[in-house]
Amino acid sequence: MKASMSVLSSLLLLTSMAATAEERHLGPHVHGQASVNVSIDAREMDVAASLPGHDAVGFEHPPGSPAEQAAVDKAIATLNQPTWFVVPAAAHCTLASAKVSPHGFGGAAEPGGHADFDATYHYTCNTPGQLDHLDVRLASAFPSVQKVVVNLITAAGSNQQALDGTTTRVDIQQ
Amino acid sequence: MSTAQPLLRTRALRHFWPDGGHALALEDLAAARGESLFLHGPSGSGKSTLLGLLAGVLAPSSGDVLILDTSFSSMSAAARDRFRANHLGYIFQQFNLLPFLTPIENVLLGCAWSAERRKRAGGTHVRMAAEAQRLLSSLGLGAHVWSRTKTGELSVGQQQRVAAARALIGGPALLLADEPTSALDASSRDAFLKLLLEECAIYGTGVVFVSHDLALARHFDRTVALASAPVES
Amino acid sequence: MRLLSLTLKSMRQRKAGVALTVFTVALSVFLLLGVERVRTDARLGFASTVSGTDLLVGARSGPVTLLLYSIFHVGEATNNITWKSYQDIRAMPEVAWTVPLSLGDSHRGFRVTGTNSDFFVHYHYGRGNALAFASGQPFSDLYDAVIGSEVASQLRYKVGDRIVLSHGLGGANLATHADKPFRVSGVLAPTGTPVDASIAVSLEAIEAIHVDWHSGIRLPGMEASAEQARHMDLTPKAITATLVGLHSRLSAFAVQSAINDYPEEPLLAVLPGVALGELWHLVGTAESALRVVSAMVLLVGMSGMLTALLGMLGERRREMAVLRAVGASTRTVFALLVMESTLLTVAGMIAGVVLLDATTAVAHNYLLATAGLVIDQNPAPGEWLLLVVVLALGSLAGCIPGWIAYRRSLADGLQVRL
């Protein structure tokens, strides 16, 4: 939590230096593709997932019907309980916090006209040495997701692993 | 001919070679336990074939071989293997010893695959080795010879005795011998045969001895001339 | 008699053949594992060209482009990072350290990197190895230079030698910075990374040699001597790229996106491992080629091994016939043959692995110095599988004559006249 606070402060520092605070860079937004960033430092593990609204709920506009609203609520609930993210039991990790933020489903149009679900999780692991792999089952939680790009940063360095189809295993080199 | 304690019986044995044309019909043969039989016939009279049939190595085209009242035709190949290991000793014309083993080890091979024969030879390794030594000595091979490391270094006559000891160890019911003396001169041949038959008598081992040399016949209980008639298939 | 002792005695009888067969198997295993180790180590070595660095930052281009020009010294940056942006990055509270990289000059075809002395502390490669000095020390004077091992060996430089840097990257008629010669203050030990083929000087030195240059030419009438330059303001205006280390890896993605979203200047922050992975993907044909070689070695090695084993077992035909005749079952004969081929294979495998380890231990430094290849003695991950395959094939080789012996009629055994 401390880390994310300081990130926030540096973000503020950087944005305060910007003349146009409104400016926003558009990140990549590929339908069918979700991204998961995992960073591990000692016993702490941060996980950030981003998934196009199209794949989470099937539309990218403010919900216009009770059915659409229910879909958004269901997606938020699914992301809040990250059963799609499986940590080896031997690592004894506990989910310390989870935060889901939908973008583009509010009133004002987002830049780029897209809508996403972003979710961040923080885990604490008692035996991080056992953290040799992860199971990322985002594609089965949201069947419209075709590909999950996982970025991983650990003491051994960083790497990217793309999960296609039925693969869910992400190897971790400690 | 004693039929009270039959060791060996054949019934209407016929053997056809796969090439056709050539076939062999054998007169019925019988031997009692402990009896020694001299089987005589010229070359090409089917002696080796007969031995093959008696050993259960060749399967007859028709007819049957019974040893100790057990019919070969009723047994599976694996059962015949076991039966042969338990009850038969075989002396080859070529001896077929393993040159890299010691004479004692070669003799012990004779009972290596039969628990029955191991038991009869003493059961423990020490006793079996002692029995092998006794056999070799009885057959005329002194300790100074069998204590040599390699069988391959022995003379033909010495190898002959090792081969005989291997066939006899553990007292098989039947000893089959295929011209085992052809490489020996007349005097050592007679001496060897005498020793061999003495050993057979100790165990009550019956003998079927095949040779073309009629001069040997006098050592045996009975002589059978192999009067096999070639038959048309 | 125990089957094993029978096998061993029989093998002792055929020492020369056994030795030859074991040697063939050993050679096959050696080649197979050797190629596999070179393949995995080449990839691992490549993937850890930069380690311990959390982020690599440059002007916005693509991750691979950034990696190529800043780390591999291939091609050139299209844009630089302004000194002010660099200062902003350094000031971020999550950032523990930064190592600036300023490229553009060369010396006899070797690239010159302007950096600071933190480079020698924080630039790590492989499994977290820091740069080591073969001789000398980091630069302390403005006109000091540290050279990589390949530069030293190819140009036969040593500590204390004077070198003159060239403006730009090559060509005979290149403008030189002859007025401001450098002294070699240190020679780095080989690393197997592009650092071996580069020369490191301080950022200020890069500034000093360009102090009287403008737009790529030396300004006439404005020459500043090496001594004069020492007293001028040598703060760089821009750098090419920077390595960034963080206090906590947890903030890596947040800092990355903060830098990528930096509004005043289009910057690009990449995770070095991810970019290296992408680049390896591009140059991965080399690995595919090695894979093909691996497969061919497997094929040839296994054929050689099978031939040797089959030849060896053929010699035992007579023996098998004898055993069969004295009562050994077909199963026993089969077991004997499989046991022998398994024994030979295991012995060959052990010899092969020992041979490989000995070779890698002996050739380690030579390979690093000449090929920039770091060959580890650690087994490659797929090695166990390969060894299992070799063992299985070896045992299978025994099954072939075993099967023949099984099929052959016993009559064969009783009339052995081989």
Side-chain angles (χ1 to χ4, degrees), chain B residues 60-129:
Chain B
S61 307
S62 67
D64 196 4
V65 174
L66 290 99
I67 291 175
L68 298 172
D69 279 334
T70 312
S71 156
F72 275 172
S73 62
S74 66
M75 277 190 271
S76 69
R80 269 204 301 274
D81 282 350
R82 269 197 306 279
F83 187 86
R84 191 183 314 113
N86 283 336
H87 302 293
L88 293 186
Y90 205 117
I91 308 177
F92 304 91
Q93 203 169 357
Q94 312 285 322
F95 318 150
N96 294 335
L97 302 168
L98 295 184
F100 53 88
L101 296 180
T102 65
I104 297 293
E105 286 169 336
N106 260 305
V107 173
L108 289 176
L109 277 182
C111 57
W113 283 280
S114 164
E116 255 179 62
R117 285 177 69 174
R118 274 203 301 277
K119 206 172 136 199
R120 284 202 294 266
T124 66
H125 184 80
V126 176
R127 284 193 198 165
M128 287 193 295

Side-chain angles (χ1 to χ4, degrees), chain C residues 72-402:
Chain C
F72 288 93
H73 304 163
V74 174
E76 280 169 79
T78 43
N79 276 300
N80 283 342
I81 308 177
T82 61
W83 187 248
K84 176 151 190 324
S85 299
Y86 173 63
Q87 293 301 327
D88 283 346
I89 293 167
R90 285 188 76 170
M92 289 171 77
E94 300 85 357
V95 172
W97 53 264
T98 58
V99 170
L101 301 171
S102 187
L103 302 160
D105 284 336
S106 66
H107 172 75
R108 298 224 202 157
F110 293 106
R111 298 281 188 128
V112 173
T113 308
T115 182
N116 60 24
S117 49
D118 284 348
F119 180 70
F120 305 108
V121 179
H122 294 302
Y123 180 89
H124 286 190
Y125 67 96
R127 297 193 178 129
N129 308 320
L131 294 174
F133 279 84
S135 61
Q137 54 201 23
F139 41 74
S140 50
D141 184 71
L142 182 63
Y143 298 114
D144 275 355
V146 171
I147 61 175
S149 62
E150 203 182 321
V151 182
S153 65
Q154 281 205 16
L155 302 179
R156 300 177 187 284
Y157 286 165
K158 57 187 188 305
V159 172
D161 284 354
R162 301 255 153 201
I163 59 173
V164 169
L165 306 188
S166 309
H167 192 77
L169 296 176
N173 52 353
L174 212 59
T176 62
H177 299 291
D179 57 325
K180 300 181 182 71
F182 282 75
R183 188 187 73 92
V184 175
S185 73
V187 178
L188 294 171
T191 62
T193 71
V195 171
D196 292 349
S198 68
I199 297 169
V201 300
S202 68
L203 277 183
E204 290 74 22
I206 296 281
E207 209 52 39
I209 57 178
H210 295 111
V211 78
D212 45 7
W213 286 59
H214 192 69
S215 306
I217 51 159
R218 204 163 173 208
L219 298 173
M222 287 186 62
E223 292 93 343
S225 74
E227 263 321 298
Q228 285 168 325
R230 286 180 188 277
H231 305 293
M232 301 170 80
D233 174 20
L234 296 177
T235 308
K237 283 151 204 76
I239 57 167
T240 312
T242 175
L243 307 177
V244 176
L246 302 173
H247 291 296
S248 164
R249 280 186 291 280
L250 296 185
S251 56
F253 292 107
V255 172
Q256 181 189 22
S257 79
I259 291 173
N260 284 340
D261 292 349
Y262 181 63
E264 291 192 319
E265 192 178 344
L267 297 179
L268 175 69
V270 299
L271 302 170
V274 173
L276 282 162
E278 266 181 57
L279 183 53
W280 181 255
H281 196 66
L282 290 177
V283 299
T285 41
E287 195 190 2
S288 308
L290 269 176
R291 240 181 230 283
V292 171
V293 172
S294 245
M296 291 195 299
V297 165
L298 179 74
L299 205 69
V300 172
M302 289 296 101
S303 318
M305 187 179 107
L306 288 186
T307 311
L309 283 175
L310 288 180
M312 182 92 280
L313 295 166
E315 283 185 31
R316 289 190 80 185
R317 263 188 67 177
R318 183 195 152 85
E319 193 185 323
M320 291 306 132
V322 170
L323 292 177
R324 197 75 183 80
V326 296
S329 66
T330 45
R331 207 182 311 151
T332 306
V333 167
F334 196 88
L336 274 169
L337 291 168
V338 172
M339 185 187 294
E340 168 157 344
S341 67
T342 306
L343 274 177
L344 290 172
T345 310
V346 167
M349 278 163 56
I350 293 170
V353 170
V354 168
L355 191 65
L356 181 61
D357 278 351
T359 311
T360 41
V362 170
H364 181 269
N365 289 338
Y366 175 79
L367 282 175
L368 177 54
T370 55
L373 203 55
V374 184
I375 300 300
D376 242 320
Q377 265 164 278
N378 293 338
E383 239 168 62
W384 292 115
L385 190 69
L386 279 175
L387 287 177
V388 168
V389 168
V390 170
L391 183 62
L393 272 172
S395 302
L396 207 67
C399 293
I400 297 170

Side-chain angles (χ1 to χ4, degrees), chain A residues 6-7 10 17-18 40-41 158, chain C residues 94 248-250 254 262-264 273:
Chain A
S6 58
V7 170
S10 70
M17 290 180 298
I40 302 168
D41 196 338
S158 51
Chain C
E94 300 85 357
S248 164
R249 280 186 291 280
L250 296 185
Y262 181 63
E264 291 192 319

